[in-house]
Amino acid sequence: MRPKQTKDVRSRKRKSSRNVLIIVASFFILSALMRLGSGAGPALAREFESLTAPAEPDYCIPTDGLEALVTSLQERERNAEKREAEIAERLATLAIAERVYEENMQDLLAAEEALSQTIAQANSAADEDINKLTALYENMKASESAPLFEQMEPDFAAGFIARMRSETAANILASLPAESAYAISVVLAGRNANIQSE
């Protein structure tokens, strides 16, 4: 029987302690309601706002230094933009100069090609003329062509003599005065000497 009695005692104590807790909690709730009704609500709201409002920084930023820094950064940005514009302008100028250079180079190459063709034609025409004159001098009698060779410069005369057949050239040199024949012979020998040394 004793265990049953102890259980009853314990359950009564628990019920009574619960009742006490309920009564204390209801006092707290009642007290809170009274405070809300008597103007505690605005005070609590202000307190809540102060808790959620961002805190002011504990340090102070000097505005003069900050303004100077911002001004300096803006100045640098303007200078950078100015340099970029100058570089872009230089690149555009360089592109134009390069295009003009390419066009001029094409014109120069075309002019060089035309000049080479003209020189080749002139050389060919000059060779033809010299060959014709050489053939003409070869067909003349040595006594008729010798006075012409005597009037020529030794270099010029040697050019014709070198192109002629040996027999005809010998006859012309034999018909020339000794001084003229010697001068032409020296030029001819000098030409052969240069060829051999090269």
Side-chain angles (χ1 to χ4, degrees):
M1 292 254 184
R2 284 187 179 177
K4 190 175 182 184
Q5 286 178 350
T6 57
K7 282 186 184 178
D8 288 338
V9 171
R10 284 183 193 165
S11 68
R12 280 188 221 148
K13 284 183 181 180
R14 282 184 195 159
K15 283 182 185 177
S16 65
S17 63
R18 280 185 200 162
N19 289 337
V20 170
L21 287 174
I22 290 173
I23 291 171
V24 170
S26 61
F27 280 132
F28 278 126
I29 291 172
L30 184 62
S31 172
L33 289 174
M34 286 174 58
R35 285 185 188 183
L36 287 175
S38 66
L44 287 173
R46 282 192 300 271
E47 189 65 27
F48 182 72
E49 285 178 8
S50 69
L51 290 176
T52 58
E56 291 292 325
D58 292 340
Y59 56 90
C60 180
I61 300 174
T63 55
D64 293 343
L66 185 60
E67 288 176 9
L69 178 63
V70 169
T71 304
S72 173
L73 289 174
Q74 288 173 343
E75 180 86 25
R76 285 184 184 181
E77 185 177 358
R78 281 193 296 273
N79 288 339
E81 289 173 357
K82 185 178 177 183
R83 281 190 212 123
E84 286 178 10
E86 289 173 357
I87 290 170
E89 186 178 343
R90 286 180 186 175
L91 287 175
T93 303
L94 186 61
I96 292 170
E98 189 175 349
R99 189 171 59 247
V100 170
Y101 169 77
E102 288 295 329
E103 290 172 1
N104 289 342
M105 185 58 78
Q106 294 299 325
D107 292 344
L108 183 62
L109 290 173
E112 186 179 4
E113 180 64 27
L115 182 62
S116 295
Q117 290 176 357
T118 302
I119 289 172
Q121 288 174 353
N123 287 340
S124 175
D127 280 345
E128 285 180 30
D129 291 344
I130 289 173
N131 288 336
K132 286 179 183 177
L133 273 174
T134 303
L136 177 72
Y137 291 145
E138 278 184 327
N139 290 329
M140 292 173 68
K141 293 181 181 177
S143 58
E144 294 173 350
S145 62
L148 296 173
F149 278 90
E150 188 178 353
Q151 296 298 317
M152 295 179 192
E153 290 290 326
D155 289 339
F156 190 67
F160 287 112
I161 298 287
R163 290 174 178 256
M164 292 181 180
R165 294 186 309 268
S166 298
E167 182 183 328
T168 307
N171 288 337
I172 292 173
L173 284 174
S175 301
L176 287 172
E179 290 178 5
S180 297
Y182 175 76
I184 293 171
S185 299
V186 168
V187 172
L188 288 171
R191 285 185 182 176
N192 292 334
N194 289 338
I195 292 170
Q196 289 172 0
S197 65
E198 290 173 1

PDB file of all heavy atoms in Angstrom, residues 88-127:
ATOM      1  N   ALA A  88      44.673  56.129 -80.188  1.00  0.00           N
ATOM      2  CA  ALA A  88      43.745  55.753 -81.268  1.00  0.00           C
ATOM      3  C   ALA A  88      43.976  56.627 -82.496  1.00  0.00           C
ATOM      4  O   ALA A  88      43.961  56.148 -83.630  1.00  0.00           O
ATOM      5  CB  ALA A  88      42.305  55.878 -80.779  1.00  0.00           C
ATOM      6  N   GLU A  89      44.219  57.940 -82.259  1.00  0.00           N
ATOM      7  CA  GLU A  89      44.478  58.846 -83.380  1.00  0.00           C
ATOM      8  C   GLU A  89      45.783  58.488 -84.079  1.00  0.00           C
ATOM      9  O   GLU A  89      45.860  58.477 -85.314  1.00  0.00           O
ATOM     10  CB  GLU A  89      44.543  60.284 -82.855  1.00  0.00           C
ATOM     11  CG  GLU A  89      44.668  61.327 -83.938  1.00  0.00           C
ATOM     12  CD  GLU A  89      44.670  62.740 -83.385  1.00  0.00           C
ATOM     13  OE1 GLU A  89      44.268  62.939 -82.223  1.00  0.00           O
ATOM     14  OE2 GLU A  89      45.093  63.641 -84.112  1.00  0.00           O
ATOM     15  N   ARG A  90      46.814  58.159 -83.290  1.00  0.00           N
ATOM     16  CA  ARG A  90      48.095  57.769 -83.888  1.00  0.00           C
ATOM     17  C   ARG A  90      47.952  56.483 -84.691  1.00  0.00           C
ATOM     18  O   ARG A  90      48.538  56.351 -85.767  1.00  0.00           O
ATOM     19  CB  ARG A  90      49.151  57.580 -82.798  1.00  0.00           C
ATOM     20  CG  ARG A  90      49.646  58.879 -82.215  1.00  0.00           C
ATOM     21  CD  ARG A  90      50.676  58.649 -81.142  1.00  0.00           C
ATOM     22  NE  ARG A  90      51.049  59.887 -80.489  1.00  0.00           N
ATOM     23  CZ  ARG A  90      51.851  59.967 -79.456  1.00  0.00           C
ATOM     24  NH1 ARG A  90      52.363  58.872 -78.931  1.00  0.00           N
ATOM     25  NH2 ARG A  90      52.142  61.131 -78.917  1.00  0.00           N
ATOM     26  N   LEU A  91      47.192  55.535 -84.147  1.00  0.00           N
ATOM     27  CA  LEU A  91      46.985  54.276 -84.870  1.00  0.00           C
ATOM     28  C   LEU A  91      46.257  54.520 -86.187  1.00  0.00           C
ATOM     29  O   LEU A  91      46.579  53.915 -87.209  1.00  0.00           O
ATOM     30  CB  LEU A  91      46.212  53.284 -83.997  1.00  0.00           C
ATOM     31  CG  LEU A  91      46.995  52.669 -82.840  1.00  0.00           C
ATOM     32  CD1 LEU A  91      46.080  51.806 -81.978  1.00  0.00           C
ATOM     33  CD2 LEU A  91      48.158  51.838 -83.350  1.00  0.00           C
ATOM     34  N   ALA A  92      45.267  55.423 -86.147  1.00  0.00           N
ATOM     35  CA  ALA A  92      44.543  55.741 -87.380  1.00  0.00           C
ATOM     36  C   ALA A  92      45.475  56.396 -88.395  1.00  0.00           C
ATOM     37  O   ALA A  92      45.466  56.060 -89.582  1.00  0.00           O
ATOM     38  CB  ALA A  92      43.361  56.660 -87.064  1.00  0.00           C
ATOM     39  N   THR A  93      46.320  57.331 -87.911  1.00  0.00           N
ATOM     40  CA  THR A  93      47.285  57.986 -88.798  1.00  0.00           C
ATOM     41  C   THR A  93      48.274  56.976 -89.362  1.00  0.00           C
ATOM     42  O   THR A  93      48.615  57.006 -90.550  1.00  0.00           O
ATOM     43  CB  THR A  93      48.042  59.095 -88.031  1.00  0.00           C
ATOM     44  OG1 THR A  93      47.086  60.010 -87.498  1.00  0.00           O
ATOM     45  CG2 THR A  93      48.990  59.831 -88.938  1.00  0.00           C
ATOM     46  N   LEU A  94      48.717  56.068 -88.497  1.00  0.00           N
ATOM     47  CA  LEU A  94      49.655  55.027 -88.934  1.00  0.00           C
ATOM     48  C   LEU A  94      49.020  54.118 -89.978  1.00  0.00           C
ATOM     49  O   LEU A  94      49.666  53.739 -90.957  1.00  0.00           O
ATOM     50  CB  LEU A  94      50.115  54.213 -87.728  1.00  0.00           C
ATOM     51  CG  LEU A  94      51.192  53.173 -87.969  1.00  0.00           C
ATOM     52  CD1 LEU A  94      52.463  53.823 -88.475  1.00  0.00           C
ATOM     53  CD2 LEU A  94      51.475  52.388 -86.706  1.00  0.00           C
ATOM     54  N   ALA A  95      47.747  53.784 -89.786  1.00  0.00           N
ATOM     55  CA  ALA A  95      47.053  52.934 -90.763  1.00  0.00           C
ATOM     56  C   ALA A  95      46.955  53.641 -92.115  1.00  0.00           C
ATOM     57  O   ALA A  95      47.169  53.035 -93.171  1.00  0.00           O
ATOM     58  CB  ALA A  95      45.659  52.575 -90.244  1.00  0.00           C
ATOM     59  N   ILE A  96      46.673  54.958 -92.085  1.00  0.00           N
ATOM     60  CA  ILE A  96      46.597  55.724 -93.338  1.00  0.00           C
ATOM     61  C   ILE A  96      47.974  55.760 -94.005  1.00  0.00           C
ATOM     62  O   ILE A  96      48.100  55.540 -95.221  1.00  0.00           O
ATOM     63  CB  ILE A  96      46.078  57.150 -93.065  1.00  0.00           C
ATOM     64  CG1 ILE A  96      44.608  57.099 -92.640  1.00  0.00           C
ATOM     65  CG2 ILE A  96      46.246  58.035 -94.286  1.00  0.00           C
ATOM     66  CD1 ILE A  96      44.064  58.401 -92.114  1.00  0.00           C
ATOM     67  N   ALA A  97      49.015  56.034 -93.193  1.00  0.00           N
ATOM     68  CA  ALA A  97      50.379  56.088 -93.743  1.00  0.00           C
ATOM     69  C   ALA A  97      50.785  54.742 -94.327  1.00  0.00           C
ATOM     70  O   ALA A  97      51.423  54.675 -95.385  1.00  0.00           O
ATOM     71  CB  ALA A  97      51.363  56.515 -92.656  1.00  0.00           C
ATOM     72  N   GLU A  98      50.400  53.673 -93.654  1.00  0.00           N
ATOM     73  CA  GLU A  98      50.737  52.337 -94.154  1.00  0.00           C
ATOM     74  C   GLU A  98      50.031  52.059 -95.476  1.00  0.00           C
ATOM     75  O   GLU A  98      50.620  51.500 -96.402  1.00  0.00           O
ATOM     76  CB  GLU A  98      50.348  51.294 -93.110  1.00  0.00           C
ATOM     77  CG  GLU A  98      50.837  49.907 -93.424  1.00  0.00           C
ATOM     78  CD  GLU A  98      50.551  48.916 -92.319  1.00  0.00           C
ATOM     79  OE1 GLU A  98      50.151  49.335 -91.222  1.00  0.00           O
ATOM     80  OE2 GLU A  98      50.723  47.725 -92.565  1.00  0.00           O
ATOM     81  N   ARG A  99      48.754  52.484 -95.559  1.00  0.00           N
ATOM     82  CA  ARG A  99      48.011  52.279 -96.808  1.00  0.00           C
ATOM     83  C   ARG A  99      48.638  53.085 -97.945  1.00  0.00           C
ATOM     84  O   ARG A  99      48.814  52.584 -99.057  1.00  0.00           O
ATOM     85  CB  ARG A  99      46.540  52.673 -96.603  1.00  0.00           C
ATOM     86  CG  ARG A  99      45.657  52.302 -97.759  1.00  0.00           C
ATOM     87  CD  ARG A  99      44.182  52.490 -97.472  1.00  0.00           C
ATOM     88  NE  ARG A  99      43.848  53.841 -97.129  1.00  0.00           N
ATOM     89  CZ  ARG A  99      43.421  54.250 -95.940  1.00  0.00           C
ATOM     90  NH1 ARG A  99      43.279  53.387 -94.960  1.00  0.00           N
ATOM     91  NH2 ARG A  99      43.130  55.516 -95.693  1.00  0.00           N
ATOM     92  N   VAL A 100      49.022  54.346 -97.662  1.00  0.00           N
ATOM     93  CA  VAL A 100      49.672  55.181 -98.673  1.00  0.00           C
ATOM     94  C   VAL A 100      51.012  54.569 -99.077  1.00  0.00           C
ATOM     95  O   VAL A 100      51.368  54.542-100.262  1.00  0.00           O
ATOM     96  CB  VAL A 100      49.860  56.625 -98.132  1.00  0.00           C
ATOM     97  CG1 VAL A 100      50.755  57.445 -99.051  1.00  0.00           C
ATOM     98  CG2 VAL A 100      48.508  57.304 -97.972  1.00  0.00           C
ATOM     99  N   TYR A 101      51.750  54.059 -98.064  1.00  0.00           N
ATOM    100  CA  TYR A 101      53.038  53.415 -98.353  1.00  0.00           C
ATOM    101  C   TYR A 101      52.848  52.219 -99.280  1.00  0.00           C
ATOM    102  O   TYR A 101      53.599  52.041-100.233  1.00  0.00           O
ATOM    103  CB  TYR A 101      53.693  52.978 -97.041  1.00  0.00           C
ATOM    104  CG  TYR A 101      54.884  52.082 -97.223  1.00  0.00           C
ATOM    105  CD1 TYR A 101      56.117  52.592 -97.604  1.00  0.00           C
ATOM    106  CD2 TYR A 101      54.775  50.700 -97.039  1.00  0.00           C
ATOM    107  CE1 TYR A 101      57.216  51.766 -97.795  1.00  0.00           C
ATOM    108  CE2 TYR A 101      55.863  49.866 -97.218  1.00  0.00           C
ATOM    109  CZ  TYR A 101      57.080  50.404 -97.599  1.00  0.00           C
ATOM    110  OH  TYR A 101      58.150  49.580 -97.789  1.00  0.00           O
ATOM    111  N   GLU A 102      51.840  51.383 -98.978  1.00  0.00           N
ATOM    112  CA  GLU A 102      51.578  50.216 -99.827  1.00  0.00           C
ATOM    113  C   GLU A 102      51.219  50.641-101.251  1.00  0.00           C
ATOM    114  O   GLU A 102      51.700  50.049-102.221  1.00  0.00           O
ATOM    115  CB  GLU A 102      50.435  49.374 -99.225  1.00  0.00           C
ATOM    116  CG  GLU A 102      50.806  48.611 -97.976  1.00  0.00           C
ATOM    117  CD  GLU A 102      51.848  47.544 -98.223  1.00  0.00           C
ATOM    118  OE1 GLU A 102      51.874  46.981 -99.331  1.00  0.00           O
ATOM    119  OE2 GLU A 102      52.650  47.286 -97.306  1.00  0.00           O
ATOM    120  N   GLU A 103      50.377  51.683-101.359  1.00  0.00           N
ATOM    121  CA  GLU A 103      50.003  52.158-102.700  1.00  0.00           C
ATOM    122  C   GLU A 103      51.236  52.689-103.443  1.00  0.00           C
ATOM    123  O   GLU A 103      51.433  52.391-104.631  1.00  0.00           O
ATOM    124  CB  GLU A 103      48.943  53.256-102.590  1.00  0.00           C
ATOM    125  CG  GLU A 103      47.592  52.750-102.120  1.00  0.00           C
ATOM    126  CD  GLU A 103      46.622  53.882-101.824  1.00  0.00           C
ATOM    127  OE1 GLU A 103      46.989  55.065-102.004  1.00  0.00           O
ATOM    128  OE2 GLU A 103      45.487  53.577-101.407  1.00  0.00           O
ATOM    129  N   ASN A 104      52.060  53.479-102.727  1.00  0.00           N
ATOM    130  CA  ASN A 104      53.274  54.016-103.347  1.00  0.00           C
ATOM    131  C   ASN A 104      54.237  52.901-103.742  1.00  0.00           C
ATOM    132  O   ASN A 104      54.893  52.977-104.788  1.00  0.00           O
ATOM    133  CB  ASN A 104      53.968  55.012-102.412  1.00  0.00           C
ATOM    134  CG  ASN A 104      53.197  56.305-102.273  1.00  0.00           C
ATOM    135  OD1 ASN A 104      52.337  56.616-103.082  1.00  0.00           O
ATOM    136  ND2 ASN A 104      53.495  57.065-101.234  1.00  0.00           N
ATOM    137  N   MET A 105      54.323  51.885-102.875  1.00  0.00           N
ATOM    138  CA  MET A 105      55.209  50.763-103.180  1.00  0.00           C
ATOM    139  C   MET A 105      54.733  50.024-104.426  1.00  0.00           C
ATOM    140  O   MET A 105      55.547  49.647-105.276  1.00  0.00           O
ATOM    141  CB  MET A 105      55.272  49.810-101.984  1.00  0.00           C
ATOM    142  CG  MET A 105      56.263  48.677-102.157  1.00  0.00           C
ATOM    143  SD  MET A 105      57.943  49.228-102.459  1.00  0.00           S
ATOM    144  CE  MET A 105      58.445  49.684-100.840  1.00  0.00           C
ATOM    145  N   GLN A 106      53.424  49.846-104.551  1.00  0.00           N
ATOM    146  CA  GLN A 106      52.879  49.199-105.749  1.00  0.00           C
ATOM    147  C   GLN A 106      53.176  50.047-106.991  1.00  0.00           C
ATOM    148  O   GLN A 106      53.580  49.515-108.037  1.00  0.00           O
ATOM    149  CB  GLN A 106      51.362  48.986-105.598  1.00  0.00           C
ATOM    150  CG  GLN A 106      50.975  48.001-104.509  1.00  0.00           C
ATOM    151  CD  GLN A 106      51.536  46.621-104.765  1.00  0.00           C
ATOM    152  OE1 GLN A 106      51.642  46.172-105.900  1.00  0.00           O
ATOM    153  NE2 GLN A 106      51.928  45.933-103.700  1.00  0.00           N
ATOM    154  N   ASP A 107      53.002  51.373-106.853  1.00  0.00           N
ATOM    155  CA  ASP A 107      53.298  52.268-107.986  1.00  0.00           C
ATOM    156  C   ASP A 107      54.778  52.210-108.335  1.00  0.00           C
ATOM    157  O   ASP A 107      55.148  52.194-109.517  1.00  0.00           O
ATOM    158  CB  ASP A 107      52.898  53.709-107.645  1.00  0.00           C
ATOM    159  CG  ASP A 107      51.392  53.880-107.529  1.00  0.00           C
ATOM    160  OD1 ASP A 107      50.653  52.995-108.002  1.00  0.00           O
ATOM    161  OD2 ASP A 107      50.958  54.903-106.962  1.00  0.00           O
ATOM    162  N   LEU A 108      55.629  52.189-107.290  1.00  0.00           N
ATOM    163  CA  LEU A 108      57.074  52.139-107.515  1.00  0.00           C
ATOM    164  C   LEU A 108      57.484  50.845-108.208  1.00  0.00           C
ATOM    165  O   LEU A 108      58.297  50.855-109.134  1.00  0.00           O
ATOM    166  CB  LEU A 108      57.807  52.288-106.180  1.00  0.00           C
ATOM    167  CG  LEU A 108      59.325  52.333-106.243  1.00  0.00           C
ATOM    168  CD1 LEU A 108      59.792  53.541-107.035  1.00  0.00           C
ATOM    169  CD2 LEU A 108      59.915  52.351-104.852  1.00  0.00           C
ATOM    170  N   LEU A 109      56.898  49.723-107.758  1.00  0.00           N
ATOM    171  CA  LEU A 109      57.212  48.438-108.396  1.00  0.00           C
ATOM    172  C   LEU A 109      56.753  48.426-109.853  1.00  0.00           C
ATOM    173  O   LEU A 109      57.463  47.914-110.727  1.00  0.00           O
ATOM    174  CB  LEU A 109      56.568  47.293-107.613  1.00  0.00           C
ATOM    175  CG  LEU A 109      57.167  47.002-106.229  1.00  0.00           C
ATOM    176  CD1 LEU A 109      56.340  45.961-105.504  1.00  0.00           C
ATOM    177  CD2 LEU A 109      58.600  46.538-106.357  1.00  0.00           C
ATOM    178  N   ALA A 110      55.580  49.000-110.097  1.00  0.00           N
ATOM    179  CA  ALA A 110      55.085  49.059-111.481  1.00  0.00           C
ATOM    180  C   ALA A 110      55.991  49.945-112.333  1.00  0.00           C
ATOM    181  O   ALA A 110      56.333  49.598-113.481  1.00  0.00           O
ATOM    182  CB  ALA A 110      53.654  49.596-111.504  1.00  0.00           C
ATOM    183  N   ALA A 111      56.433  51.089-111.747  1.00  0.00           N
ATOM    184  CA  ALA A 111      57.331  51.983-112.497  1.00  0.00           C
ATOM    185  C   ALA A 111      58.680  51.311-112.735  1.00  0.00           C
ATOM    186  O   ALA A 111      59.269  51.451-113.826  1.00  0.00           O
ATOM    187  CB  ALA A 111      57.525  53.293-111.729  1.00  0.00           C
ATOM    188  N   GLU A 112      59.172  50.571-111.747  1.00  0.00           N
ATOM    189  CA  GLU A 112      60.448  49.867-111.909  1.00  0.00           C
ATOM    190  C   GLU A 112      60.349  48.805-113.001  1.00  0.00           C
ATOM    191  O   GLU A 112      61.265  48.645-113.804  1.00  0.00           O
ATOM    192  CB  GLU A 112      60.844  49.221-110.574  1.00  0.00           C
ATOM    193  CG  GLU A 112      62.206  48.579-110.589  1.00  0.00           C
ATOM    194  CD  GLU A 112      62.584  47.978-109.239  1.00  0.00           C
ATOM    195  OE1 GLU A 112      61.753  48.000-108.320  1.00  0.00           O
ATOM    196  OE2 GLU A 112      63.707  47.475-109.146  1.00  0.00           O
ATOM    197  N   GLU A 113      59.214  48.103-113.002  1.00  0.00           N
ATOM    198  CA  GLU A 113      59.012  47.086-114.042  1.00  0.00           C
ATOM    199  C   GLU A 113      58.958  47.733-115.423  1.00  0.00           C
ATOM    200  O   GLU A 113      59.585  47.250-116.372  1.00  0.00           O
ATOM    201  CB  GLU A 113      57.700  46.327-113.756  1.00  0.00           C
ATOM    202  CG  GLU A 113      57.373  45.237-114.756  1.00  0.00           C
ATOM    203  CD  GLU A 113      58.388  44.094-114.753  1.00  0.00           C
ATOM    204  OE1 GLU A 113      59.033  43.860-113.702  1.00  0.00           O
ATOM    205  OE2 GLU A 113      58.537  43.460-115.806  1.00  0.00           O
ATOM    206  N   ALA A 114      58.243  48.857-115.512  1.00  0.00           N
ATOM    207  CA  ALA A 114      58.163  49.565-116.804  1.00  0.00           C
ATOM    208  C   ALA A 114      59.537  50.082-117.217  1.00  0.00           C
ATOM    209  O   ALA A 114      59.922  49.985-118.397  1.00  0.00           O
ATOM    210  CB  ALA A 114      57.168  50.720-116.699  1.00  0.00           C
ATOM    211  N   LEU A 115      60.309  50.606-116.252  1.00  0.00           N
ATOM    212  CA  LEU A 115      61.651  51.107-116.558  1.00  0.00           C
ATOM    213  C   LEU A 115      62.569  49.971-117.001  1.00  0.00           C
ATOM    214  O   LEU A 115      63.349  50.130-117.947  1.00  0.00           O
ATOM    215  CB  LEU A 115      62.232  51.808-115.326  1.00  0.00           C
ATOM    216  CG  LEU A 115      63.621  52.424-115.491  1.00  0.00           C
ATOM    217  CD1 LEU A 115      63.604  53.508-116.561  1.00  0.00           C
ATOM    218  CD2 LEU A 115      64.113  52.975-114.168  1.00  0.00           C
ATOM    219  N   SER A 116      62.453  48.818-116.324  1.00  0.00           N
ATOM    220  CA  SER A 116      63.270  47.657-116.716  1.00  0.00           C
ATOM    221  C   SER A 116      62.955  47.234-118.140  1.00  0.00           C
ATOM    222  O   SER A 116      63.868  46.921-118.928  1.00  0.00           O
ATOM    223  CB  SER A 116      63.023  46.486-115.764  1.00  0.00           C
ATOM    224  OG  SER A 116      63.458  46.797-114.474  1.00  0.00           O
ATOM    225  N   GLN A 117      61.667  47.234-118.467  1.00  0.00           N
ATOM    226  CA  GLN A 117      61.291  46.877-119.834  1.00  0.00           C
ATOM    227  C   GLN A 117      61.822  47.901-120.844  1.00  0.00           C
ATOM    228  O   GLN A 117      62.306  47.534-121.914  1.00  0.00           O
ATOM    229  CB  GLN A 117      59.768  46.763-119.942  1.00  0.00           C
ATOM    230  CG  GLN A 117      59.197  45.563-119.220  1.00  0.00           C
ATOM    231  CD  GLN A 117      57.679  45.522-119.269  1.00  0.00           C
ATOM    232  OE1 GLN A 117      57.038  46.421-119.799  1.00  0.00           O
ATOM    233  NE2 GLN A 117      57.113  44.469-118.697  1.00  0.00           N
ATOM    234  N   THR A 118      61.738  49.186-120.457  1.00  0.00           N
ATOM    235  CA  THR A 118      62.234  50.239-121.353  1.00  0.00           C
ATOM    236  C   THR A 118      63.744  50.108-121.552  1.00  0.00           C
ATOM    237  O   THR A 118      64.250  50.223-122.683  1.00  0.00           O
ATOM    238  CB  THR A 118      61.898  51.628-120.770  1.00  0.00           C
ATOM    239  OG1 THR A 118      60.488  51.720-120.583  1.00  0.00           O
ATOM    240  CG2 THR A 118      62.359  52.740-121.687  1.00  0.00           C
ATOM    241  N   ILE A 119      64.456  49.854-120.418  1.00  0.00           N
ATOM    242  CA  ILE A 119      65.910  49.695-120.524  1.00  0.00           C
ATOM    243  C   ILE A 119      66.255  48.470-121.369  1.00  0.00           C
ATOM    244  O   ILE A 119      67.169  48.508-122.206  1.00  0.00           O
ATOM    245  CB  ILE A 119      66.539  49.593-119.111  1.00  0.00           C
ATOM    246  CG1 ILE A 119      66.473  50.955-118.417  1.00  0.00           C
ATOM    247  CG2 ILE A 119      67.970  49.111-119.175  1.00  0.00           C
ATOM    248  CD1 ILE A 119      66.874  50.931-116.965  1.00  0.00           C
ATOM    249  N   ALA A 120      65.502  47.389-121.157  1.00  0.00           N
ATOM    250  CA  ALA A 120      65.754  46.175-121.944  1.00  0.00           C
ATOM    251  C   ALA A 120      65.519  46.449-123.429  1.00  0.00           C
ATOM    252  O   ALA A 120      66.306  46.025-124.293  1.00  0.00           O
ATOM    253  CB  ALA A 120      64.866  45.037-121.457  1.00  0.00           C
ATOM    254  N   GLN A 121      64.432  47.174-123.723  1.00  0.00           N
ATOM    255  CA  GLN A 121      64.154  47.519-125.119  1.00  0.00           C
ATOM    256  C   GLN A 121      65.242  48.432-125.689  1.00  0.00           C
ATOM    257  O   GLN A 121      65.688  48.253-126.822  1.00  0.00           O
ATOM    258  CB  GLN A 121      62.791  48.201-125.232  1.00  0.00           C
ATOM    259  CG  GLN A 121      61.625  47.256-125.022  1.00  0.00           C
ATOM    260  CD  GLN A 121      60.286  48.000-124.984  1.00  0.00           C
ATOM    261  OE1 GLN A 121      60.250  49.219-124.989  1.00  0.00           O
ATOM    262  NE2 GLN A 121      59.201  47.240-124.942  1.00  0.00           N
ATOM    263  N   ALA A 122      65.680  49.404-124.856  1.00  0.00           N
ATOM    264  CA  ALA A 122      66.726  50.328-125.321  1.00  0.00           C
ATOM    265  C   ALA A 122      68.028  49.575-125.548  1.00  0.00           C
ATOM    266  O   ALA A 122      68.724  49.810-126.556  1.00  0.00           O
ATOM    267  CB  ALA A 122      66.923  51.439-124.290  1.00  0.00           C
ATOM    268  N   ASN A 123      68.352  48.660-124.595  1.00  0.00           N
ATOM    269  CA  ASN A 123      69.573  47.864-124.766  1.00  0.00           C
ATOM    270  C   ASN A 123      69.483  46.992-126.009  1.00  0.00           C
ATOM    271  O   ASN A 123      70.458  46.851-126.764  1.00  0.00           O
ATOM    272  CB  ASN A 123      69.841  47.000-123.532  1.00  0.00           C
ATOM    273  CG  ASN A 123      70.328  47.815-122.354  1.00  0.00           C
ATOM    274  OD1 ASN A 123      70.811  48.929-122.522  1.00  0.00           O
ATOM    275  ND2 ASN A 123      70.194  47.265-121.164  1.00  0.00           N
ATOM    276  N   SER A 124      68.323  46.415-126.183  1.00  0.00           N
ATOM    277  CA  SER A 124      68.132  45.565-127.354  1.00  0.00           C
ATOM    278  C   SER A 124      68.245  46.392-128.639  1.00  0.00           C
ATOM    279  O   SER A 124      68.900  45.987-129.605  1.00  0.00           O
ATOM    280  CB  SER A 124      66.764  44.885-127.276  1.00  0.00           C
ATOM    281  OG  SER A 124      66.502  44.148-128.437  1.00  0.00           O
ATOM    282  N   ALA A 125      67.614  47.577-128.612  1.00  0.00           N
ATOM    283  CA  ALA A 125      67.682  48.446-129.799  1.00  0.00           C
ATOM    284  C   ALA A 125      69.115  48.914-130.018  1.00  0.00           C
ATOM    285  O   ALA A 125      69.599  48.967-131.167  1.00  0.00           O
ATOM    286  CB  ALA A 125      66.755  49.648-129.628  1.00  0.00           C
ATOM    287  N   ALA A 126      69.821  49.252-128.914  1.00  0.00           N
ATOM    288  CA  ALA A 126      71.214  49.690-129.057  1.00  0.00           C
ATOM    289  C   ALA A 126      72.077  48.563-129.594  1.00  0.00           C
ATOM    290  O   ALA A 126      72.943  48.785-130.459  1.00  0.00           O
ATOM    291  CB  ALA A 126      71.744  50.166-127.698  1.00  0.00           C
ATOM    292  N   ASP A 127      71.852  47.340-129.082  1.00  0.00           N
ATOM    293  CA  ASP A 127      72.607  46.193-129.587  1.00  0.00           C
ATOM    294  C   ASP A 127      72.342  45.984-131.078  1.00  0.00           C
ATOM    295  O   ASP A 127      73.264  45.687-131.853  1.00  0.00           O
ATOM    296  CB  ASP A 127      72.249  44.922-128.802  1.00  0.00           C
ATOM    297  CG  ASP A 127      72.964  44.848-127.473  1.00  0.00           C
ATOM    298  OD1 ASP A 127      73.930  45.620-127.283  1.00  0.00           O
ATOM    299  OD2 ASP A 127      72.554  44.036-126.627  1.00  0.00           O
TER     300      ASP A 127
END
